[in-house]
Amino acid sequence: MNLRDFDAYFMKMALREAEKAASDGEVPTGCIVVEPAVAEPAHDGHPAVIDPNPALARILGRAHNQTEGLSDATAHAEMLALTSAMAAKGNPRLVGARLYVTKEPCPMCAGAIVLARPSVVVWGVSDPKRGGGTVFDIFSHPGMNHHPEIATGVLEDESRDILQRFFRGRRN
């Protein structure tokens, strides 16, 4: 299995979380935070090489949007998954972790992600109106103290489809 397949494996889990959100009447966004196994440790300024076997990775947190159910505007999938992941690690820093989310994080979530410091953020579909990365440039802003690697478009069609089905249903 290669890294792209590894990412797709965990994005499928994030999509299952998004389905849970949709069934609860929430905007269907799901998030998974994963600590991959290390195949080769970091050395001489080179980053660690992850083992692409998903069975060796540890899921630190998983969540879906719960803003309506919890009456909490901050209860986005990313915020809840980050909180779970930091509790699982017993550390507010998630260095080495990969965060998977079906829709590009909003500015609030992007800010929290920067503070939590996962090494990689992977999302399915970009948000051209209010994306924390593509519109507000939070992940690469020079004033930020952490700049995670970004991978986009992983299971993009599936991620877009669940959002479109949800909002079509809302309009009908």
Side-chain angles (χ1 to χ4, degrees):
M1 182 175 276
N2 61 36
L3 190 55
R4 191 73 176 172
D5 293 336
F6 182 89
D7 287 345
Y9 180 89
F10 288 106
M11 187 60 78
K12 286 178 187 170
M13 286 186 178
L15 282 163
R16 285 196 290 275
E17 288 293 322
E19 291 285 355
K20 290 178 190 176
S23 71
D24 291 344
E26 304 273 358
V27 173
T29 303
C31 184
I32 306 287
V33 180
V34 176
E35 183 175 57
V38 175
E40 185 180 317
H43 64 286
D44 298 329
H46 297 285
V49 176
I50 72 165
D51 189 313
N53 182 349
L56 301 176
R58 177 179 170 211
I59 297 173
L60 299 173
R62 70 174 71 216
H64 55 276
N65 277 356
Q66 296 183 53
T67 57
E68 300 299 325
L70 296 177
S71 296
D72 181 352
T74 68
H76 291 196
E78 301 95 321
M79 301 296 281
L80 299 171
L82 285 169
T83 299
S84 294
M86 290 182 278
K89 284 207 54 133
N91 189 328
R93 306 286 183 270
L94 300 173
V95 176
R98 296 175 81 82
L99 182 143
Y100 297 89
V101 63
T102 55
K103 184 181 76 55
E104 179 182 359
C106 73
M108 173 186 69
C109 293
I113 290 166
V114 167
L115 294 173
R117 300 184 184 171
S119 296
V120 180
V121 176
V122 180
W123 69 71
V125 65
S126 293
D127 184 348
K129 291 184 180 175
R130 52 197 154 288
T134 57
V135 176
F136 294 97
D137 196 33
I138 292 170
F139 296 119
S140 59
H141 191 280
M144 293 298 189
N145 64 345
H146 174 69
H147 301 103
E149 179 184 330
I150 304 295
T152 65
V154 176
L155 300 186
E156 182 175 8
D157 292 340
E158 295 89 332
S159 296
R160 181 180 296 107
D161 182 58
I162 189 170
L163 286 163
Q164 288 176 338
R165 280 187 286 128
F166 176 79
F167 286 112
R168 244 185 251 121
R170 278 274 176 96
R171 284 189 295 271
N172 293 334

